[in-house]
Amino acid sequence: MTPIQAVSRLPKAELHLHIEGTFEPELMFQIAQRNHIAIPYQSVEEVRAAYQFHNLQSFLDIYYAGAAVLRHEQDFFDLTYAYLQKCREDNVVHSEIFFDPQTHTARGVAFDTVIGGIRRACDTARQEWGMSTALITCFLRHLSEEEAFATLAQALPFREHIIGVGLDSSEVGNPPSKFARVFAEARKHGFLTVAHAGEEGSPDYVHEALDLLHVSRIDHGVRAEEDEALMQRIIAEQMPLTVCPLSNLKLKVVDDLAQHNLHRLLQRGVLVTVNSDDPAYFGGYVNDNFTALQQTFALSTAEIAQLCKNSFQAAFLDNETRQKWC
Ligand code: ADE
Ligand code: ZN
């Protein structure tokens, strides 16, 4: 099996994926039209042309604006089902999906509407082709602790359908410590925890996510490499990093994919995984990320297989299911 064949043939899990970031322009136009919402673009081409980002914030501004056309349960179903079909094409057999309830509840869309549509799509994909999914509710870190507590309260009635809580949005200036109490409360209710850290923020943010939020995985974490003691800890504890190479390229975390540290991290024994983050905005789904890495670093079939295995190792799966895929 060649490395490129391995990319398409090997089953894999995706662990870092924002459902709002899978909103392809074609579907955005369709939903905007049926909901009678004006969007500031004339064509799909114009939307794609607007996807030029110089940092995380410049992306987030466009990403939140796009999500504003999602109003009804059917909209969240259509969005999620389209993503799950991409998973099927890419041989992603398990996906742990982030959603940002505050992006929607702030516009008067009920939590129930959001999770209802997402869950119905996940149930349909499970019935149709055995797709496995889990949901992670993210707190928007540019908003207050109080607002995160209110979101946690809204999530509690759906506790059995949500495996964990996460932390996303504008990193710099919004450290994990701001959410230590709400994460502690979430853990009391049995939620697992993850957090974006070390994407644009310094390694201190990764330390805080580990020590104050007690995360099971770090989302991104690429800047952890700047702190050797932290690296030693991540390797010793086999703390997973859910890395998103095309995202890092589009958001200028790296200027060139050849500068990306994923291959180096893998060679050092970090439990690193490959993910798409916001594929509709960053130019590709999971297999596109694998392919770009393979072409840049000449990854071997064994390295591709290790990355796929890592994705199950780092997933919130029971041991029996994990063994089945590893
Ligand atoms: N929300 C969606 N994508 C994100 C990213 N890459 N970083 C932080 N928040 C996000
Ligand atoms: Zn992300």
Side-chain angles (χ1 to χ4, degrees), residues 161-217:
H161 306 298
I162 301 171
I163 200 157
V165 299
L167 188 63
D168 64 2
S169 194
S170 321
E171 184 181 8
V172 175
N174 297 293
S177 52
K178 179 175 165 185
F179 298 94
R181 290 188 296 200
V182 72
F183 269 62
E185 184 65 19
R187 287 201 317 279
K188 275 192 211 156
H189 289 279
F191 290 103
L192 297 170
T193 63
V194 297
H196 284 54
E199 179 186 17
E200 285 188 342
S202 75
D204 290 348
Y205 286 60
V206 179
H207 279 290
E208 283 194 9
L210 294 171
D211 295 333
L212 304 180
L213 306 187
H214 302 283
V215 294
S216 301
R217 301 192 292 247

Side-chain angles (χ1 to χ4, degrees), residues 16 18 98 168 196 219-220 244 277-278:
H16 185 157
H18 303 263
F98 294 139
D168 64 2
H196 284 54
D219 296 315
H220 293 296
C244 309
D277 205 9
D278 301 285

